[in-house]
Amino acid sequence: MAAPLLFIFGTSSMNTAAFSDDKAALRSDMLRKRKDLRVSNINALDDLAKQVIKALSGLQDATVSGYVAIGDELDVSASLAALQEIGASIVLPVAGKSGEVLSFRPWCSGDELEKGRLSTYHPSAKTEAPDPDVLLVPLVAFDTQGYRLGFGGGYYDRTLSALREKKNIAAYGIGYDGQEVESIPREVHDAQLDGIITPTRIILSKP
Ligand code: ADP
Ligand code: MG
């Protein structure tokens, strides 16, 4: 009986390494693809805003976490402006040290931003915001089951799992249609999103 057990343990640790290799390879392919998608989808921002408003209809009073797009991430600025117009409160995430969860600061259009870790931007005023009800989550790639490949820091995985311990939240991945892949390599810590919003579609995840 010992041999099969060793085989099982060996396979499982090899799989963990294989998963991160698979993720790294997919991440580099999809980062290249996302660059082309940004260049060839100039109407994406406004189309996305319409889909975001549709997906969040009925959540006018919600506190929504957005993000300031970096690199070729799909820009949610038009979506945040539209959400603010219907009465939502916007917060932006602040990435702390590696291994920590995100914290949030309130943000209104025109508020000053500062550069944080990982080249992201967040409000410079150090006011802490309440935990968001809805999170718009940037991504490198997604699948239609609501799994996401991020930049590799695991910040959103940790944050979503911590928030879900405290309250009901809805987390939507935001990306170009062309960022869809058949299946994202899935590890136990990867948090499933409630859905994906693209400039043309709202894809709700099956639980
Ligand atoms: P991303 O989601 O940004 O693409 P990964 O899913 O590869 O990145 O996660 C990166 C690392 O973050 C993982 O290797 C893991 O060590 C860590 N991590 C993510 N979520 C958790 C969690 N809930 N608990 C502990 N570690 C986590
Ligand atoms: Mg992950």
Side-chain angles (χ1 to χ4, degrees):
M1 285 308 286
L5 269 178
L6 277 174
F7 177 72
I8 290 164
F9 286 127
T11 307
S12 124
S13 69
M14 273 161 55
N15 275 348
T16 307
F19 270 127
S20 22
D21 286 353
D22 287 352
K23 278 185 171 180
L26 183 61
R27 191 173 283 120
S28 106
D29 283 354
M30 294 306 288
L31 280 170
R32 221 171 301 125
K33 184 161 189 196
R34 193 174 67 176
K35 195 178 195 60
D36 297 337
L37 289 166
R38 186 175 63 79
V39 173
S40 56
N41 286 278
I42 49 167
N43 295 321
L45 276 65
D46 292 331
D47 291 342
L48 178 71
K50 288 182 197 133
Q51 298 294 339
V52 166
I53 292 297
K54 198 155 118 190
L56 272 54
S57 65
L59 292 170
Q60 293 89 326
D61 299 328
T63 297
V64 181
S65 169
Y67 59 90
V68 178
I70 54 166
D72 301 302
E73 285 173 352
L74 179 47
D75 186 340
V76 288
S77 55
S79 304
L80 299 186
L83 284 167
Q84 227 160 16
E85 229 163 81
I86 62 163
S89 305
I90 306 298
V91 301
L92 293 176
V94 182
K97 291 195 203 92
S98 171
E100 290 184 349
V101 294
L102 297 166
S103 60
F104 300 92
R105 291 184 186 171
W107 179 80
C108 280
S109 173
D111 283 357
E112 197 182 308
L113 297 171
E114 66 182 17
K115 197 170 187 174
R117 299 172 69 84
L118 316 169
S119 300
T120 51
Y121 287 85
H122 54 249
S124 51
K126 290 182 176 44
T127 321
E128 209 174 306
D131 287 333
D133 306 301
V134 179
L135 292 95
L136 305 181
V137 182
L139 45 76
V140 176
F142 67 87
D143 65 27
T144 55
Q145 291 304 302
Y147 283 91
R148 153 189 183 272
L149 187 69
F151 209 70
Y155 280 92
Y156 277 101
D157 290 322
R158 285 188 294 276
T159 304
L160 295 182
S161 103
L163 285 174
R164 282 170 174 158
E165 297 275 311
K166 294 200 260 179
K167 64 187 282 190
N168 270 332
I169 55 159
Y172 293 99
I174 302 292
Y176 297 98
D177 291 278
Q179 287 176 261
E180 179 181 337
V181 298
E182 196 175 328
S183 182
I184 296 285
R186 207 178 289 175
E187 297 178 271
V188 278
H189 66 262
D190 282 315
Q192 188 184 22
L193 300 164
D194 298 279
I196 306 288
I197 308 174
T198 76
T200 66
R201 290 181 297 165
I202 299 164
I203 307 157
L204 296 180
S205 311
K206 292 191 193 87

